[in-house]
Amino acid sequence: PQKRDIQNGLEVCIATPGRLLDFVREKVINLDRVTYLVLDEADRMLDMGFEPQIRKIVQCIRVRIDFLTRKSFNHCFSA
């Protein structure tokens, strides 16, 4: 059911780093259009060794550039 829901389109995706990367590898989800990335309990994830997965997720997100100001405008939050 998760794959089907993603393929039907979504505005918000809530997932663990591992599950999200599984969907990226399986080409179920594409992170090119992500505008906001929120990492809940990021400090705990880093303490638990999730840094490699977090880095892979961030690398999948294309940086958006405002061509008038040449400034990037992706946003990353840690809750």
Side-chain angles (χ1 to χ4, degrees):
Q2 290 175 333
K3 288 182 184 181
R4 182 192 54 214
D5 291 341
I6 292 170
Q7 291 167 338
N8 287 336
L10 48 90
E11 295 293 321
V12 176
C13 177
I14 300 169
T16 62
R19 189 69 173 142
L20 184 57
L21 286 173
D22 287 344
F23 285 141
V24 169
R25 277 189 219 103
E26 296 171 14
K27 300 198 185 312
V28 173
I29 194 167
N30 182 329
L31 302 180
D32 281 349
R33 296 183 62 203
V34 169
T35 302
Y36 296 96
L37 173 64
V38 178
L39 301 172
D40 188 31
E41 299 288 339
D43 55 336
R44 292 198 61 217
M45 284 194 287
L46 293 172
D47 289 344
M48 295 171 61
F50 283 93
E51 183 177 351
Q53 291 90 341
I54 293 170
R55 286 186 180 278
K56 286 178 186 172
I57 291 168
V58 171
Q59 289 172 353
C60 292
I61 299 172
R62 182 178 53 179
V63 174
R64 308 229 188 307
I65 297 176
D66 181 328
F67 289 103
L68 295 176
T69 63
R70 298 285 186 211
K71 294 182 180 177
S72 63
F73 60 94
N74 281 61
H75 305 284
C76 182
F77 299 95
S78 174

